[in-house]
Amino acid sequence: MQTEKTNFDRYLERKLQNADFRARFEAADQAWDIALQLAALRQARGLTQKQVADLLGTKQQAIARLEDPMYTGHSLSMVRRYVEALGASLDVTVVPLENSDAYAGQRSAKPLLAAEGTHA
């Protein structure tokens, strides 16, 4: 069964035609996803923002900012520190904007995880 599009759906489709809006929208979506994952991990570990801040040697406000879906200034190093301090790992994937068979063919699952001293 197909649902009818709402006025918002039609509005968003029109707005996403603008490349600048689309880029900002996608960045906000990524920030939202990161914030929700960080908060969920912390809660699953039974920790408060203050406890995570203490683990990282920072202030509770910094943790609140990382968990704020409106915050888009996540640094990879800080997110990695947060995740590792809570006993998890970070998986970053590079995705070309264009459909590239050449990229997909050259990309291995984890090219940087080869053991030291070995060559891929």
Side-chain angles (χ1 to χ4, degrees), residues 56 66 73-85 90 92:
L56 296 176
L66 287 172
H74 299 90
S75 75
L76 184 58
S77 63
M78 185 58 168
V79 172
R80 179 175 284 128
R81 284 181 55 218
Y82 182 112
V83 169
E84 289 176 354
L90 182 64
V92 178

Side-chain angles (χ1 to χ4, degrees), residues 7-117:
N7 286 338
F8 179 76
D9 292 330
R10 288 188 287 275
Y11 169 79
L12 186 57
E13 282 178 356
R14 273 194 319 273
K15 293 295 282 182
L16 288 171
Q17 298 303 312
N18 177 288
D20 183 52
F21 178 86
R22 188 174 53 253
R24 290 191 330 260
F25 184 83
E26 289 170 359
D29 183 50
Q30 291 168 351
W32 182 269
D33 190 43
I34 291 167
L36 292 178
Q37 288 183 60
L38 293 177
L41 176 62
R42 175 182 55 76
Q43 291 166 357
R45 298 294 192 252
L47 298 171
T48 65
Q49 289 180 344
K50 173 78 170 97
Q51 290 169 318
V52 173
D54 291 344
L55 284 171
L56 296 176
T58 190
K59 296 183 180 186
Q60 179 272 331
Q61 292 88 343
I63 302 306
R65 187 173 49 246
L66 287 172
E67 294 181 4
D68 180 353
M70 300 304 291
Y71 181 66
T72 58
H74 299 90
S75 75
L76 184 58
S77 63
M78 185 58 168
V79 172
R80 179 175 284 128
R81 284 181 55 218
Y82 182 112
V83 169
E84 289 176 354
L86 273 64
S89 64
L90 182 64
D91 184 19
V92 178
T93 304
V94 175
V95 180
L97 296 178
E98 74 284 353
N99 183 4
S100 172
D101 290 336
Y103 171 81
Q106 293 180 20
R107 181 180 173 265
S108 63
K110 297 289 180 192
L112 300 179
L113 294 180
E116 281 188 37

